[in-house]
Amino acid sequence: MSKPLSLRWFRRPVLEVAPELLGRHLVVSRKGGRGSERFVITEVEAYDGPEDLACHASRGRTTRTEVMYQAGGVFYVYLVYGMHWMLNIVTGAEGYPAAVLIRGVEGISGPGKLTRRLGIDHSLNARSATGKGGVWFEESGLVVPENTIEKTPRVGVDYAGEWARRPYRFVLRP
DNA sequence: GGAGTGATGACA
DNA sequence: GTCATCACTCCA
């Protein structure tokens, strides 16, 4: 049994938070359900501020991106291609738009499949990750040595020029 | 390689 | 109001 990672834990630079999420648990407590499910996080991507051309907030503050400007510890959930919800956790200080995309957990690879399997959709958007929204993060007790973390460019952001090549994707090697 | 799918944001 | 775009997945 472990407490949710604190809001303070997320209010740090996204490039610190993202790799540290690897090996920790994503916890989902279904509405009306009994108990909760825990998943080891295996793949994430960092989206870092207004200058990062792959970050939605690089096109300015809009209705959709508003939540990214909040202080870290709230979820940013949006729809792509009309059918897949993307689960992100906002990081950093209030006013600086950054978030980590949860791309995969143990047993589920792919951000769209992940949200479908876990029943996550728009209703989680802007909710805090302290547990009230039914989804949160926990310590797992796993040790993740630095050399088991693979860093690669992010997926599906070829439009982002130089930013597309930055090693902002973090994968836990099997 | 290409289709499905619908919210979002830019523009009028 | 129109239109292009899209942090994906599946099938050929």
Side-chain angles (χ1 to χ4, degrees):
Chain A
M1 209 53 166
S2 177
K3 286 199 298 192
L5 295 180
S6 69
L7 295 180
R8 242 185 54 206
W9 195 87
F10 291 100
R11 293 175 184 174
R12 298 182 292 139
V14 68
L15 291 175
E16 288 181 24
V17 173
E20 290 182 25
L21 277 170
L22 295 177
R24 290 193 156 87
H25 278 151
L26 173 66
V27 189
V28 178
S29 175
R30 297 206 111 95
K31 184 171 61 174
R34 53 222 169 251
S36 45
E37 291 183 288
R38 280 165 176 72
F39 302 88
V40 175
I41 298 170
T42 56
E43 181 182 353
V44 298
E45 283 177 358
Y47 289 84
D48 189 15
E51 312 214 318
D52 177 359
L53 293 179
C55 180
H56 289 161
S58 66
R59 267 87 74 201
R61 200 161 177 151
T62 66
T63 305
R64 180 175 64 159
T65 60
E66 185 63 30
V67 64
M68 293 186 82
Y69 289 81
Q70 293 189 37
V74 296
F75 289 108
Y76 169 42
V77 183
Y78 67 93
L79 191 67
V80 274
Y81 298 107
M83 49 186 123
H84 303 295
W85 296 103
M86 298 291 104
L87 174 65
N88 298 250
I89 180 69
V90 173
T91 65
E94 182 179 0
Y96 186 83
V100 180
L101 169 66
I102 311 298
R103 287 193 63 89
V105 297
E106 204 166 47
I108 310 173
S109 86
K113 287 195 281 189
L114 184 151
T115 52
R116 194 159 67 90
R117 284 271 301 278
L118 274 49
I120 288 168
D121 63 20
H122 180 71
S123 63
L124 191 64
N125 187 239
R127 308 287 293 267
S128 106
T130 51
K132 289 218 138 193
V135 183
W136 65 94
F137 300 89
E138 283 181 6
E139 297 291 348
S140 67
L142 290 176
V143 177
V144 178
E146 176 73 21
N147 65 1
T148 63
I149 297 178
E150 187 177 359
K151 297 168 187 164
T152 83
R154 292 168 292 186
V155 174
V157 296
D158 290 345
Y159 59 84
E162 173 232 336
W163 290 86
R165 296 192 289 277
R166 297 209 180 191
Y168 284 4
R169 174 171 171 260
F170 304 91
V171 186
L172 191 56
R173 282 216 195 83

